[in-house]
Amino acid sequence: MFRALSIDGGGMRGLYTAAYLAELEAAHSTRRKVDGLDVGAAFQLIVGTSTGAIIGCGLEIGTPPQTMMELYRLHGAEVFPKKLTERIQDIIPQLITRAAHLARGETALQRQLEGLFGTTTLLEVWANRRIALAVPAVNMSTYRSWVFKTPHDPSTDHRDDGRTLVQVCLASSAAPLFRSLAVLNHSQSDTYDVFADGGLWANNPVLVTLAEALRFVGNSDEEIEIFSLGTCGKPEGEIIARDARHRGLLQWKFGGGAAAVSIAAQEYSFDAIARFLQPHLKNKVRFVRFPAEKIPGALLQYLDLDETRPEGLNALIQQARQDAHMTNSYNYRGTEDGLAIAALFNAMPPRAE
């Protein structure tokens, strides 16, 4: 069985993702009477976009989800020091100060990532763990999609071997308006590349995960399981009056509203495309979307990509724990997806001391 993990983007909503995994790990560790589980080691492939790239890289090197959760909870306000404005009175101040806030956030994020990943490269993590990693981004010199990869894929000609996990995460999470673009220097020359957020084209990277899994198994008939994890996406959609269609900067929240539409549309459409392709594939492929309860109305105000208020972060953690409890419930464990999730966590090796 080839198992792969696909993790959506979503800015600060990555706190939900990390908290959800932490709660599942804790429950299964207790059930199995071990001190902790190496979540990443249950997969042969991990794919993450934007905030999902940060979590995915953490799992790639064996970082406990609880540690990832604390990174968001304790340092999110440093990474997003100024919320993207939605108020008319803040337009002029943010026109003047926005770039400086982004620079501060970039410095804070890089510092935290370096503390977590050090100088570990894609080549090194592949050599040490033999877990394939793929991280979507956008190359700004061509506006084309880019996927950073460990050398599990020989067709890349070892293009990304020297890239560090820090560089990969900065590139994949460089969301326009919310974060600075990522400048990645070349080690062998005085040149560089500039990257933007992979969420612009693969916020839900399930299709990237499918393509990489099929490439990995090659001509074998090995079965594939793809576990897909979201970031607490809120119920989306609007009732728009006919005469309200002429939207300007304020109505689109100065571009932030368009990003939210893109994220929501991709979450649905990419899952639908993957399932459409499923019966046409030579290999048997199973898609498992980790379940989530309906979002309560009180949580909606805390789901912006750059939301860092303490009450908002606590609400995300609480929702993650409720969803994890539902996943662990007797009724859900008896479903087909529930059995697959239980088998996944039972296959995880205990975390090394």
Side-chain angles (χ1 to χ4, degrees), residues 15-345:
L15 172 62
Y16 165 92
T17 308
Y20 177 84
L21 287 175
E23 194 70 20
L24 285 184
E25 186 219 346
H28 284 272
S29 296
T30 300
R31 195 172 296 153
R32 292 175 53 185
K33 297 181 173 58
V34 297
D35 291 334
L37 299 174
D38 187 340
V39 177
F43 302 97
Q44 286 76 52
L45 167 67
I46 297 174
V47 182
T49 298
S50 195
T51 200
I54 296 172
I55 295 170
C57 285
L59 298 177
E60 179 81 10
I61 65 170
T63 304
Q66 180 73 30
T67 300
M68 305 300 299
M69 186 182 91
E70 291 303 304
L71 183 146
Y72 284 89
R73 190 178 66 84
L74 297 177
H75 302 288
E78 301 168 19
V79 176
F80 296 104
K82 186 67 174 180
K83 205 169 190 295
L84 186 65
T85 185
E86 300 177 12
R87 305 190 308 169
I88 295 176
Q89 59 266 40
D90 289 338
I91 295 175
I92 298 302
Q94 285 224 10
L95 284 174
I96 298 170
T97 63
R98 188 72 188 165
H101 292 312
L102 293 178
R104 286 171 53 203
E106 178 188 62
T107 299
L109 178 59
Q110 183 166 344
R111 181 172 60 249
Q112 294 306 319
L113 293 175
E114 287 173 350
L116 191 64
F117 303 132
T119 60
T120 302
T121 65
L122 292 176
L123 175 61
E124 290 169 344
V125 78
W126 172 247
N128 292 334
R129 297 269 284 177
R130 308 306 287 183
I131 303 170
L133 178 70
V135 175
V138 174
N139 189 321
M140 291 298 290
S141 66
T142 60
Y143 287 177
R144 291 184 179 177
S145 59
W146 187 281
V147 181
F148 293 98
K149 299 180 185 181
T150 49
H152 67 277
D153 181 2
S155 69
T156 62
D157 198 25
H158 298 276
R159 177 196 66 188
D160 301 321
D161 284 6
R163 292 298 188 194
T164 67
L165 297 184
V166 172
Q167 289 178 317
V168 166
C169 289
L170 288 173
S172 186
S173 63
L177 298 174
F178 295 96
R179 281 227 23 254
S180 302
L181 295 172
V183 175
L184 272 57
N185 294 320
H186 291 282
S187 59
Q188 304 300 322
S189 66
D190 191 28
T191 58
Y192 61 90
D193 289 315
V194 179
F195 291 91
D197 195 328
L200 294 172
W201 69 277
N203 196 71
N204 174 357
V206 65
L207 292 179
V208 178
T209 309
L210 175 61
E212 287 300 313
L214 291 172
R215 180 183 287 112
F216 204 106
V217 301
N219 293 322
S220 76
D221 59 356
E222 187 173 7
E223 293 186 16
I224 298 171
E225 276 189 337
I226 296 178
F227 293 84
S228 188
L229 182 54
T231 54
C232 197
K234 60 184 176 181
E236 302 285 1
E238 304 173 71
I239 304 299
I240 301 174
R242 190 186 303 271
D243 59 0
R245 68 188 184 278
H246 309 294
R247 288 189 164 184
L249 291 175
L250 184 61
Q251 289 76 25
W252 278 113
K253 300 180 182 178
F254 304 93
V261 173
S262 174
I263 288 173
Q266 288 185 52
E267 180 173 340
Y268 170 79
S269 62
F270 284 15
D271 279 341
I273 293 170
R275 294 183 187 281
F276 173 80
L277 293 172
Q278 188 175 16
H280 303 284
L281 301 172
K282 177 176 71 72
N283 296 78
K284 182 179 179 180
V285 180
R286 173 178 175 76
F287 296 99
V288 180
R289 184 80 173 175
F290 284 100
E293 297 276 23
K294 291 183 178 180
I295 303 296
L299 186 59
L300 296 179
Q301 62 181 308
Y302 301 126
L303 296 181
D304 290 335
L305 304 184
D306 54 353
E307 176 60 66
T308 61
R309 288 174 291 177
E311 60 269 28
L313 303 185
N314 290 334
L316 279 173
I317 293 172
Q318 182 179 5
Q319 184 65 36
R321 288 172 173 163
Q322 289 175 354
D323 287 346
H325 293 163
M326 184 267 289
T327 305
N328 284 327
S329 70
Y330 179 81
N331 288 339
Y332 186 79
R333 289 206 312 270
T335 67
E336 191 173 350
D337 281 357
L339 292 172
I341 293 172
L344 171 71
F345 277 83

